[in-house]
Amino acid sequence: MRLVDVPRRGTGDISLVLCGAAGQGVQTVEHLMVRLAKAAGYHVFASSEYMSRVRGGSNSTEIRLGSVPVRGLVDRIDVLVALNGGIRPNVRNRIDEETLVLGDPEELGDEFASLGERFVPVPFLRAAREGGNRVYANVAAAACLAAIFGMPFAALETYFAERFGAKSPDVVQGNLAVAEKGFALGEELLRKGVLRISLAHASSQGERIVLDGSEAVALGALAGGCDFCTGYPMSPATGVLTFLVKNADRFGVAVEQVEDEIAAMNMAVGASYMGALPLCTTSGGGFALMSEGLSLAGIMETPVVVHLAQRPGPATGMATRTEQADLELALYSGHGEFPRILFAPGTLEEAFFVTRRAFELAARYQTPAIVLTDQYFTNTSYDIPLPDLPDAAPDRCLVEAGPEYRRYEESPDGVSPRSVPGFGTGLVGADSHEHDEEAHVYEDFDLRTRMNARRLRKFEGLRREALPPTRIGPEDADILVICWGSTRPIVEEAVASLGRADTAVLHFAQVWPVAPETEALLARAKYVFVVEGNATGQLATLLRCETGRRADASVRTWKGLQFSVEEVRRGLADVLDKTVGR
């Protein structure tokens, strides 16, 4: 049997991939392994991908363990655990000459026979049967991995008690019985010398928590004052809705699953008119249905925050896959002209911060704000420091309506004093038609000109408050690699691996309005490359429109899977060779 050293030379972290059929518990193994590894003193990263099927198909998850924070998806697989056969090409093609595959021949047959000693048979099904329940083969695999990576069995006991204790003691004992068998398999593999683990623990983790993208957005919304959430379940946006449902009582937020996205947006606009701070969570197809309601929020000047989790289109496209192709949809959705704000967090910390800021700015400027994530981001988790919480309660930016109150009063910055019905004695009007200062409907062309100009004046304030892009790398770098949204950690790691002192990353966590500093930042660079997950270069087009700077080259993907670190590194090396090297 061949001894495999992990981490492999030059990497510094371990990439573990789990595969299995839908319903086989791949997500359970991921959840368990991430928490056990963190408790054992490692930094952790996990990202899952799954097929758009109610039952069947093959899913996988990647877990990286490191002594320093790890946050990007890699192609490299150090250890692959296969719970069933029929491994799909997107995973199989990542197996290289240093990958060790653990799997049960009872499930896999001779699927990995060509790997020779790099395939190690492990009887997960037998362990599950001997433990009392064959459907717990995933638990046997998780416990086996726990033993291999030196995690104590007591950690499994704690995990199952916390996760299943509220259900039934029998469930806890059933899992533990199988876990004992699986743990013994892992100890046996170590005795046989299958693996040699030399990964150091993190020097100091401080107080850290494990979150995924959906949880980071939901917690940011709560920190921003969100007290009402609407949505129609739609992958990959549903995680935010389910998190808020589970924690509705704890945080005092009303959550409503409605009949469709049109109702979701209109209900949010109505709630905002009455003083709530609402969140709609949806994906591209649902957001398209919300566009008329978004315009309604624009003319009523009601603050609404939308979480738009992107997936490949058009229409249903690839419902459980990822893409960054809804930037222009978010920017131009809704009829007429009205200001809006678009955020695109690249890290979980940014997701918490910008979602909170989306509520803050939506309330201050009385206009819609949209937080763009994607399937990869919402289904990715890692450990982060505890986020800073604001000392003060969120400002709803409301005034008490007196007898002379006029909802749409003129103001230099375009922002009228906002009240809500019942807060004071004044009348708080609203209408979807063009209206006067008191919200009475008039077809008056001078009035129309004045009101529309006032609403659009808010844009200047929003532009002044726009978050500047984050620069990572040398201040005097001649080459800027630009990215937005979820690709930030991947691009950071890829650029670092190139080892070039002349290259920096510029990440946009806010993509509209574009921060005023952007033009000068781009003007200083000799070369600008844009990395984004769509076919047409939507951010590159937007930056050219706003700054006049055309990208020298782009690295794009639209296959439905997130970039890997290696893919971005290869793409950048290619464009650097063709552009800078000429």
Side-chain angles (χ1 to χ4, degrees):
M1 192 169 288
R2 176 179 168 180
L3 175 66
V4 174
D5 284 304
V6 287
R8 65 177 73 179
R9 185 186 300 273
T11 58
D13 66 272
I14 297 170
S15 171
L16 170 67
V17 173
L18 307 159
C19 287
Q24 237 180 341
V26 171
Q27 295 304 309
T28 299
V29 179
E30 174 195 316
H31 192 271
L32 187 154
M33 281 300 297
V34 164
R35 278 132 188 97
L36 260 58
K38 176 182 175 293
Y42 297 115
H43 290 287
V44 293
F45 163 91
S47 181
S48 59
E49 55 94 17
Y50 49 95
M51 298 179 74
S52 178
R53 296 186 183 181
V54 175
R55 188 176 179 84
S58 181
N59 304 330
S60 73
T61 187
E62 175 177 304
I63 300 173
R64 293 179 73 186
L65 310 180
S67 53
V68 297
V70 280
R71 296 187 164 191
L73 186 76
V74 293
D75 280 336
R76 165 176 50 89
I77 301 177
D78 296 318
V79 179
L80 172 65
V81 178
L83 294 177
N84 77 322
I87 303 301
R88 284 180 294 115
N90 67 301
V91 176
R92 176 173 281 279
N93 293 341
R94 297 163 57 192
I95 298 174
D96 62 19
E97 65 281 0
E98 294 187 61
T99 302
L100 182 71
V101 180
L102 307 179
D104 192 336
E106 191 175 341
E107 277 277 3
L108 301 174
D110 60 356
E111 185 170 340
F112 291 100
S114 63
L115 296 181
E117 288 185 324
R118 288 186 293 118
F119 174 70
V120 176
V122 187
F124 296 129
L125 273 174
R126 190 189 72 195
R129 282 195 297 267
E130 290 176 356
N133 195 333
R134 73 182 308 278
V135 302
Y136 287 171
N138 62 326
V139 173
C144 176
L145 290 170
I148 289 174
F149 286 94
M151 301 165 193
F153 188 77
L156 287 162
E157 294 175 319
T158 302
Y159 176 84
F160 288 123
E162 291 177 352
R163 186 166 174 83
F164 301 121
K167 288 186 175 180
S168 155
D170 291 342
V171 174
V172 176
Q173 289 305 315
N175 277 279
L176 283 175
V178 174
E180 287 180 359
K181 302 294 181 183
F183 201 81
L185 291 176
E187 292 177 320
E188 184 182 357
L189 290 176
L190 288 178
R191 281 195 298 274
K192 289 180 177 177
V194 173
L195 274 175
R196 181 163 54 205
I197 312 286
S198 55
L199 182 67
H201 290 172
S203 56
S204 174
Q205 293 199 44
E207 194 169 4
R208 302 176 72 87
I209 55 174
V210 175
L211 289 181
D212 64 30
S214 294
E215 292 168 340
V217 169
L219 290 170
L222 292 169
C226 175
D227 51 14
F228 184 60
C229 177
T230 60
Y232 180 80
M234 188 173 189
S235 174
T238 310
V240 171
L241 190 68
T242 53
F243 179 87
L244 291 174
V245 166
K246 289 178 182 175
N247 295 281
D249 291 339
R250 184 179 178 189
F251 294 108
V253 56
V255 183
E256 186 72 15
Q257 178 185 320
V258 293
E259 65 269 29
D260 57 37
E261 287 83 358
I262 298 172
M265 175 56 79
N266 288 335
M267 190 175 286
V269 172
S272 181
Y273 169 64
M274 295 302 295
L277 289 176
L279 172 72
C280 288
T281 181
T282 188
S283 298
F287 186 74
L289 292 172
M290 292 179 175
S291 63
E292 186 176 11
L294 198 74
S295 289
L296 178 62
I299 197 166
M300 285 179 61
E301 301 180 61
T302 50
V304 175
V305 177
V306 180
H307 169 231
L308 169 50
Q310 300 166 96
R311 68 189 202 188
T316 308
M318 300 175 77
T320 61
R321 300 302 178 181
T322 201
E323 202 162 79
Q324 292 182 297
D326 290 341
L327 171 56
E328 291 176 350
L329 171 70
L331 182 57
Y332 300 117
S333 60
H335 49 289
E337 300 168 303
F338 57 96
R340 69 192 69 192
I341 320 157
L342 271 59
F343 294 103
T347 65
L348 300 185
E349 294 96 326
E350 281 183 345
F352 178 85
F353 172 73
V354 303
T355 307
R356 177 159 64 88
R357 186 166 176 80
F359 277 86
E360 176 188 341
L361 293 181
R364 189 182 308 161
Y365 288 91
Q366 305 167 23
T367 197
I370 300 162
V371 179
L372 287 154
T373 66
D374 52 50
Q375 179 271 327
Y376 170 77
F377 189 87
T378 56
N379 290 291
T380 290
S381 60
Y382 45 80
D383 58 298
I384 64 170
L386 283 173
D388 293 330
L389 295 175
D391 295 328
D395 185 357
R396 291 172 184 262
C397 303
L398 297 176
V399 300
E400 187 170 349
E404 305 301 321
Y405 176 74
R406 300 201 302 175
R407 170 67 185 90
Y408 300 111
E409 193 65 80
E410 271 287 350
S411 67
D413 62 0
V415 180
S416 305
R418 177 171 172 250
S419 190
V420 295
F423 188 32
T425 58
L427 178 67
V428 182
D431 202 285
S432 64
H433 293 74
E434 192 57 272
H435 44 253
D436 68 2
E437 287 78 359
E438 295 179 337
H440 295 143
V441 178
Y442 290 106
E443 192 172 286
D444 180 307
F445 303 117
D446 292 335
L447 173 69
R448 160 66 183 178
T449 302
R450 192 170 72 249
M451 278 293 160
N452 205 34
R454 181 187 57 76
R455 289 191 292 267
L456 293 176
R457 278 203 300 277
K458 298 179 190 177
F459 182 79
E460 289 308 314
L462 288 171
R463 190 166 186 270
R464 283 194 300 274
E465 294 206 49
L467 295 175
T470 303
R471 187 185 185 101
I472 305 114
E475 281 297 318
D476 58 349
D478 290 335
I479 301 169
L480 278 184
V481 178
I482 293 174
C483 59
W484 62 285
S486 63
T487 57
R488 174 178 167 172
I490 294 165
V491 175
E492 275 191 67
E493 188 170 342
V495 169
S497 71
L498 290 171
R500 296 180 65 109
D502 60 353
T503 305
V505 175
L506 196 67
H507 175 261
F508 286 77
Q510 179 169 344
V511 286
W512 187 258
V514 174
E517 300 92 330
T518 304
E519 185 172 352
L521 285 169
L522 298 190
R524 283 169 44 198
K526 287 184 180 177
Y527 300 97
V528 170
F529 304 132
V530 181
V531 179
E532 54 186 320
N534 58 66
T536 56
Q538 296 186 18
L539 180 65
T541 301
L542 179 62
L543 292 178
R544 186 184 177 194
C545 291
E546 288 298 298
T547 68
R549 180 66 185 263
R550 180 198 293 269
D552 294 283
S554 293
V555 178
R556 301 174 190 162
T557 185
W558 57 94
K559 60 183 178 293
L561 295 171
Q562 178 63 293
F563 279 118
S564 67
V565 171
E566 294 93 334
E567 189 178 4
V568 173
R569 184 174 61 217
R570 286 194 300 271
L572 288 175
D574 184 53
V575 298
L576 282 163
D577 184 52
K578 292 176 179 174
T579 308
V580 180
R582 68 188 175 198

